[in-house]
Amino acid sequence: HAQHRSKQHAEEDLVREEDMDKFVDLSSYMNPACLTVLETAPLTRAYFLFRTLGLRHLPVVNFQNEVVGMITRSDLLHH
């Protein structure tokens, strides 16, 4: 009988308490020129970008170009 662990418990195991104040440089994995959508843009704009470009994630930014959210493909499947 295999014991199943909860998803939350498994996620807690990813980062140990003593590692919480450490940093990892992820800049080599970033795309600094990725497509974004303004937080005031209509949903149809985001949908168009997902459909035409095959996106999986789309950062949402404010007028200062600061990330304020993320739209995923599964978010749009519910609309």
Side-chain angles (χ1 to χ4, degrees):
H1 233 243
Q3 290 184 338
H4 296 284
R5 297 166 48 143
S6 72
K7 181 179 179 183
Q8 179 182 0
H9 189 57
E11 289 173 355
E12 290 169 359
D13 290 342
L14 293 177
V15 180
R16 298 178 306 197
E17 187 67 36
E18 61 267 21
D19 293 333
M20 293 300 288
D21 62 343
K22 296 180 181 174
F23 295 91
V24 176
D25 181 6
L26 299 174
S27 61
S28 62
Y29 300 99
M30 291 181 10
N31 178 357
C34 69
L35 286 172
T36 60
V37 66
L38 278 172
E39 62 186 342
T40 57
L43 182 59
T44 53
R45 171 76 176 141
Y47 182 79
F48 174 79
L49 290 171
F50 273 87
R51 291 282 295 172
T52 57
L53 301 174
L55 301 178
R56 295 179 61 195
H57 300 87
L58 181 63
V60 179
V61 296
N62 61 19
F63 285 107
Q64 289 76 41
N65 207 35
E66 300 167 326
V67 176
V68 295
M70 183 74 65
I71 301 172
T72 66
R73 185 183 298 170
S74 63
D75 291 333
L76 294 181
L77 291 176
H78 296 65
H79 286 86

